Amino acid sequence: MDRLFDLLVVGGGPAGLATAHAAARAGASVLLLHRDARIGLPIRTSGGSWLFHLRQLGIPDHLHHPIRSATFASPNVQATTRFVTDDYAVALDVTKTYEYLAGLATDAGAEVLTGSRFVRTEQLADESFRSIYSQGTREFTVRARFIVDASGSARAVTAPLGLQPRPTRYGVGAEYEYENLSPDLHHCLLLVGSQYFPAGYGWALPGPDGRIRVGVGVLQPDTKARPQPMLDDFMASELPRKLGLVTGRLIEKHFGVLPSETPNERAVFGRIVCVGDTAMQALPLIGEGIRYCIEAGRVAGAAIASAAREPDAAATHLATYERWWRKRYGYEFWLAWKMNVRIASFNDQQWDMVAKVMQGLSPSSIARGLRSEIRPLELASFAFRRPKLALTFGRALLGGALSR
Ligand SMILES: Cc1cc2nc3c(=O)[nH]c(=O)nc-3n(C[C@H](O)[C@H](O)[C@H](O)COP(=O)(O)OP(=O)(O)OC[C@H]3O[C@@H](n4cnc5c(N)ncnc54)[C@H](O)[C@@H]3O)c2cc1C
C-alpha cells in the first residue's frame, strides 16, 4: 500500500520548507521531497534581505550579517547611503537559514526526504494524488490529498500537467564568494551601467564569516550576455580596486535562475498549490524572493491544513491563500514588474539619473524603494524639492504604467 499524506511538498527551498512547517504545525501529515542531497546546498541565491522583515518572520539574528551602508554606483555618479534605523539590509547565511527552516518543519512532524526527485503525479478518483519520485535509479510511489509545487523555476508538478507554462524570461546570475579583505565588512555595492557590465547589474554583498559575494545578473532572453564571463572580466579588471573592493581567496561559486515574468494571476489549481518562485513570488524589481517565499509558505501551509481537515470546503480554504497574496503584495509586485521591464533597457545616462535621485532620498526611502513600497507622500515631497529630476525619473521608470 502506498503511504497516504495530507500534503506532498515538492522542493526544499524556503517556500517548500516554510509550507511544510506551517502545514505540519497545524496538524497535517506532510512529506517533502527535495532533489538535492542536502538542504541549502548548492547555493543558488545571494541571500540579501531586510532585518525588520526577517525578525517579523522569526528568523534568528545569528543567521544573517548586517549591511550598514550601501553605494549605488552608476557610470558617473555614486550615491552612498548609511542605514541609521533598524530598517537595514542583511545578508543571510543561506545554507544555515534553509537548514533552520528544515529543522522547524521536521520538529513540527513533517518528513523531509533529500536526494528525492519528484517525477510525476496523477489524480485518482477520490481526488488524491498518486505520485512517483526517484532516489538514484529506484522509484517509489506515495499518495497525498494535496500537492504543493515549490520546485522553483523547474515547476516540476505544474508544468508537465499543463497548469502553468515553463517561464520564458529568466534572471540568470553568477556569483563568487571570496574572503572579504575590504576595510568595511558591512558595506555593499550595487553596480549598474556599461562601465561595469555590458548588460544587467552587479553587486558586492558582504556576508557572515568574513566573506563577500560578488555577482552579476542578467535578464535572458532580453540580452544574450552570459553573467559568468562578465563577472570574470570584472574581477580581472582594475574596477574592484577602484571601488574599494578587496577580496582574498575564492571560496565558492554560486549560479541561479529566477523566473522573471508578469506576476501570476493564479497560485491554486484545484488541489495543487504553487508557492515561491513557482508562483512568481520573488519581487521582480531586484529579484528578492526569500522572505516573500517564507511568508507565502506559512499562509499556504495553514490554508492547506484547514483544507485537509475540511475537504468539502477545500476550495474555500485554499482561496484564502490566493486572496491574501493578491491583497498583501499584488500592488507592490505589479509596480515592481512595471519598473523591471523599464530598467531592463536603461542606458548609462538613465542609470546616472537613478543615482542622482538616490542622492536626494533618505535611507529609509531608498530601502522602501528597493522593496517597491513606494508611498505617494514621499513621491510628492521629492517632486516638490527636485521637480525637474522627479519628472524625468518618473517618466523613465514608470512610463505609462500608472495610467493603466
Ligand atoms: C542569482 C540570484 C540571486 C538572488 N538573490 C536573492 C537575494 O539576494 N535575496 C532574495 O531574497 N532572493 C534572491 N533571489 C531569489 C530567491 O533565491 C528565490 O526567490 C527563492 O530561492 C525561491 O525559493 P523557492 O523555495 O520558491 O525555490 P528554490 O529556492 O529554487 O527551491 C526549489 C527547490 O526545489 C528543488 N526541486 C526542483 N525540482 C525538483 C523535483 N523534481 N523534485 C524535488 N525537488 C525539486 C530544487 O532543487 C530547489 O532546491 C535570487 C535568485 C537568483 C537566481
Side-chain angles (χ1 to χ4, degrees), residues 168-172 198-200 218-225 260-261 337 339-346:
T168 53
R169 187 173 183 258
Y170 289 96
V172 182
V218 295
L219 283 167
Q220 292 178 349
D222 295 19
T223 171
K224 287 198 173 73
S260 182
E261 290 182 332
W337 167 250
M339 292 195 278
N340 165 296
V341 172
R342 304 288 291 198
I343 63 176
S345 57
F346 266 16

Side-chain angles (χ1 to χ4, degrees), residues 232-253:
D232 289 334
D233 288 349
F234 173 78
M235 289 310 294
S237 75
E238 280 296 295
L239 288 164
R241 194 186 52 78
K242 285 188 184 157
L243 289 160
L245 180 64
V246 194
T247 54
R249 185 172 57 93
L250 174 64
I251 300 168
E252 269 173 24
K253 295 184 176 184

Side-chain angles (χ1 to χ4, degrees), residues 1 34 53 59 82 102 117 168 194 198 233 250-251 345-346 351 388-389 398:
M1 284 287 282
H34 184 55
H53 297 80
I59 305 296
R82 283 178 206 294
R117 187 173 68 87
T168 53
S194 59
D233 288 349
L250 174 64
I251 300 168
S345 57
F346 266 16
W351 282 124
K388 222 168 131 192
L389 186 57
L398 297 170

Side-chain angles (χ1 to χ4, degrees), residues 6-85:
D6 288 325
L7 173 62
L8 175 71
V9 178
V10 177
L17 293 167
T19 310
H21 170 218
R25 191 178 49 184
S29 55
V30 181
L31 176 69
L32 183 146
L33 301 176
H34 184 55
R35 187 178 56 181
D36 305 324
R38 272 191 65 183
I39 295 289
L41 283 175
I43 293 173
R44 303 188 180 98
T45 181
S46 287
S49 197
W50 299 94
L51 178 75
F52 175 79
H53 297 80
L54 291 179
R55 281 190 175 159
Q56 275 196 324
L57 292 170
I59 305 296
D61 284 3
H62 72 266
L63 293 174
H64 42 78
H65 176 82
I67 312 292
R68 304 273 183 206
S69 58
T71 296
F72 183 88
S74 69
N76 302 298
V77 185
Q78 292 201 358
T80 295
T81 306
R82 283 178 206 294
F83 298 109
V84 282
T85 65

